[in-house]
């Protein structure tokens, strides 16, 4: 399974200024600097251009809109 992702870490979202939050409503790329192809394999979540995560290492996944 493959798709496109926009991502960041929660600590970076907490540090965002008001202008960052507003620009994120225009397009997610302004608030989520990591983007690329995401692929779920049998044992890995591969975030192209960012990192690969072993499924056993993942503690929590959230898909939220603020």
């Amino acid at each position: 399974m493959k798709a496109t992702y926009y991502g960041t870490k929660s600590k970076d979202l907490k540090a965002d200024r008001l202008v960052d939050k507003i620009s994120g409503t225009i397009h997610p790329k302004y608030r989520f600097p990591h983007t690329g192809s995401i692929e779920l394999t049998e044992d890995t979540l591969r975030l192209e251009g960012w990192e690969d995560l072993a499924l056993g290492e993942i503690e929590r996944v959230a898909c939220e809109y603020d």
Side-chain angles (χ1 to χ4, degrees):
M1 178 173 85
K2 274 192 168 183
T4 300
Y5 78 91
Y6 295 94
T8 193
K9 296 184 177 184
S10 61
K11 68 178 181 88
D12 296 330
L13 285 177
K14 291 175 185 172
D16 276 355
R17 301 166 298 159
L18 180 59
V19 68
D20 298 319
K21 294 175 183 179
I22 292 170
S23 62
T25 63
I26 297 168
H27 194 279
K29 69 180 179 181
Y30 297 116
R31 194 143 186 230
F32 302 94
H34 303 284
T35 186
S37 175
I38 184 172
E39 181 180 8
L40 178 61
T41 67
E42 187 175 308
D43 59 353
T44 306
L45 182 63
R46 177 164 287 128
L47 302 168
E48 174 192 44
W50 193 8
E51 58 186 290
D52 294 344
L53 302 168
L55 294 183
E57 295 176 340
I58 299 173
E59 295 177 14
R60 180 175 177 261
V61 174
C63 184
E64 302 174 16
Y65 183 81
D66 59 353

